[in-house]
Amino acid sequence: MTLKEPPKVELTLPILPDMEIAATKTAEVVAKHMNLDDEKSAEISMALIEATINAFEHSDSESGSVEIHFLIQGDELVIQVTDKGKGFDKSKVAIPKIEQKFGSERKRGWGLKLIEELMDTVEFESTEEGTTVTMTKKK
């Protein structure tokens, strides 16, 4: 008897405007395959958009692309977003104060916090060779 590997989907996205949408379309298909409800599917898509855009905008990746891996492990979906960029120190990323954002032109800066709120677990691994964000959502 051979053990079947868990289903896995791998994408390599060029860093181009709106390419994060390709990632969310894939996430929607995977979530549907897992019979996740619409709310969980939407949470996954929003977290994935944030993680992908962060990689696009902040990695300074020399490869010009971001890799996204979707892995179904039992009743969990594990998503890894990896860039080959300069890395970052999460402890030095300030979470904005909401009062300051109300009157501000720049509403950005919530990505890391949002990802952590939307997913069940989130891990950040970052070195000078790149960053991997691993996000997990349970059924």
Side-chain angles (χ1 to χ4, degrees), residues 1-5:
M1 182 175 140
T2 58
L3 293 175
K4 197 169 149 186
E5 280 194 41

Side-chain angles (χ1 to χ4, degrees), residues 22-50:
T24 64
K25 293 295 182 193
T26 302
E28 288 169 10
V29 171
V30 172
K32 186 174 185 177
H33 171 77
M34 292 180 67
N35 295 316
L36 296 178
D37 63 36
D38 289 344
E39 183 177 344
K40 286 187 180 186
S41 180
E43 290 170 350
I44 290 165
S45 290
M46 286 172 43
L48 186 55
I49 284 171
E50 292 296 332

Side-chain angles (χ1 to χ4, degrees), residues 19-87:
M19 283 306 293
E20 69 277 2
I21 303 304
T24 64
K25 293 295 182 193
T26 302
E28 288 169 10
V29 171
V30 172
K32 186 174 185 177
H33 171 77
M34 292 180 67
N35 295 316
L36 296 178
D37 63 36
D38 289 344
E39 183 177 344
K40 286 187 180 186
S41 180
E43 290 170 350
I44 290 165
S45 290
M46 286 172 43
L48 186 55
I49 284 171
E50 292 296 332
T52 304
I53 288 175
N54 279 349
F56 285 1
E57 290 182 354
H58 303 297
S59 70
D60 291 334
S61 173
E62 289 186 22
S63 71
S65 64
V66 171
E67 294 178 12
I68 303 174
H69 298 255
F70 300 85
L71 181 63
I72 299 170
Q73 295 180 325
D75 65 348
E76 287 186 342
L77 173 59
V78 179
I79 302 172
Q80 292 185 310
V81 178
T82 303
D83 65 64
K84 303 275 192 266
K86 63 184 179 186

Side-chain angles (χ1 to χ4, degrees), residues 15-16 18 27 32 67 70 76 88 92 111 127 137 139:
I15 299 175
L16 295 172
D18 300 323
K32 186 174 185 177
E67 294 178 12
F70 300 85
E76 287 186 342
F88 78 107
K92 293 183 178 172
T127 68
K137 183 61 106 175
K139 264 189 172 179

